[in-house]
């Protein structure tokens, strides 16, 4: 099983600040990684696929980078609606999710 | 707009069988290269992939659940289903159905989720 480890577990950020979330895979997943946003009581929402591509309708302030084992989701300037839990997900071999990073208001 | 809706019992007894159905609208369940999936989330915890199915019957399952899981598709009703046998309290979770995009193969549309509690 490919284990995805996300850091930090919780990110305290002020609105308008930049947020950087990390996802590390236990073995290479090439670029087969996605990021999802989940708000309380809602289903996850696809933000980024294949490491760097924004999904339809996702604002440009969200960007993804990385390949192999190390990946980053960057939110350039956090808006209040961005405070949520973020999960990375690999489809390189079977499918697994990271444990999530919670972005909370500082 | 693609919509998915889970349905099924919200309470299942230990050692029993969990059965859920996902109704799909706005897309055909036979769309080429589109797979249909189940993901679950225990209360307050993260996401776990359960498995996925293609309309001709191909399936992929999480190895940790494979011995207890079956998925199926009903083309005439444009829906797919999940069966999880021999459930325990550890199977208590919100169960989501989702579509796997037929180009990049990630979950792009989700149902709202249904809470299934395993308890006597």
């Amino acid at each position: 099983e490919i284990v995805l480890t996300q850091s930090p577990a919780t990110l305290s950020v002020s609105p308008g600040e930049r947020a950087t979330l990390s996802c590390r895979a236990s073995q290479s997943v090439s670029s087969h990684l996605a990021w999802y946003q989940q708000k309380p009581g809602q289903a996850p929402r696809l933000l980024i696929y294949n490491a760097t591509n924004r999904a339809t309708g996702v604002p440009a302030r969200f960007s993804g980078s990385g390949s192999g084992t190390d990946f980053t989701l960057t939110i350039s300037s956090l808006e209040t609606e961005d405070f949520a839990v973020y999960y990375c997900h690999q489809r390189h071999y079977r499918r697994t999710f990271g444990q999530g990073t919670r972005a909370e208001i500082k | 707009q693609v919509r998915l809706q889970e349905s099924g019992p919200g309470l299942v007894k230990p050692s029993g069988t969990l059965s859920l159905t996902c109704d799909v609208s706005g897309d055909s369940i036979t769309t080429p290269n589109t797979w249909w999936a189940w993901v679950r989330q225990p209360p307050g915890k993260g996401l776990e992939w359960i498995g996925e199915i293609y309309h001709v019957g191909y399936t992929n399952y999480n190895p940790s659940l494979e011995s207890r899981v079956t998925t199926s598709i009903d083309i005439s009703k444009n829906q797919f289903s999940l069966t999880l046998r021999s459930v325990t309290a550890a199977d208590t979770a919100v169960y989501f159905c989702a579509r796997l995009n037929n180009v990049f193969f990630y979950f792009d549309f989700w149902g709202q989720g249904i809470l299934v509690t395993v308890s006597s």
Side-chain angles (χ1 to χ4, degrees), chain B:
Chain B
Q1 177 73 321
V2 179
R3 295 192 188 280
L4 296 91
Q5 178 69 59
E6 305 88 351
S7 61
L11 182 64
V12 181
K13 294 186 185 306
S15 77
T17 297
L18 180 159
S19 296
L20 297 175
T21 296
C22 183
D23 288 299
V24 179
S25 59
D27 191 11
S28 170
I29 210 156
T30 60
T31 297
N33 298 320
T34 297
W35 289 64
W36 304 91
W38 292 94
V39 175
R40 70 180 183 178
Q41 185 171 38
K45 297 189 177 180
L47 301 165
E48 181 180 34
W49 169 68
I50 299 171
E52 59 205 39
I53 185 167
Y54 189 58
H55 66 88
V56 298
Y58 301 150
T59 56
N60 293 310
Y61 296 131
N62 187 322
S64 69
L65 298 169
E66 190 164 14
S67 63
R68 299 192 291 130
V69 170
T70 303
T71 56
S72 61
I73 277 191
D74 188 329
I75 293 174
S76 66
K77 294 181 179 179
N78 214 46
Q79 66 183 201
F80 61 107
S81 299
L82 169 71
T83 299
L84 181 64
R85 297 173 292 277
S86 303
V87 297
T88 70
D91 295 309
T92 293
V94 174
Y95 286 75
F96 296 99
C97 59
R99 188 185 82 165
L100 282 163
N101 182 280
N102 64 354
V103 174
F104 42 77
F105 302 106
Y106 297 100
F107 308 107
D108 63 350
F109 286 97
W110 298 68
Q112 65 186 26
I114 182 169
L115 174 62
V116 179
T117 301
V118 178
S119 175
S120 55

Side-chain angles (χ1 to χ4, degrees), chain A residues 65-85:
Chain A
S65 63
S67 66
T69 60
D70 290 295
F71 300 87
T72 300
L73 173 69
T74 301
I75 311 171
S76 60
S77 177
L78 266 141
E79 301 195 2
T80 54
E81 67 207 49
D82 300 335
F83 292 95
V85 180

Side-chain angles (χ1 to χ4, degrees), chain A residues 2 4 25 27-33 68-69 71 90 92-93:
Chain A
I2 297 177
L4 299 178
Q27 62 190 78
S28 177
V29 298
S30 184
S31 62
H32 300 143
L33 188 112
T69 60
F71 300 87
Q90 66 81 22
H92 186 70
Y93 179 70

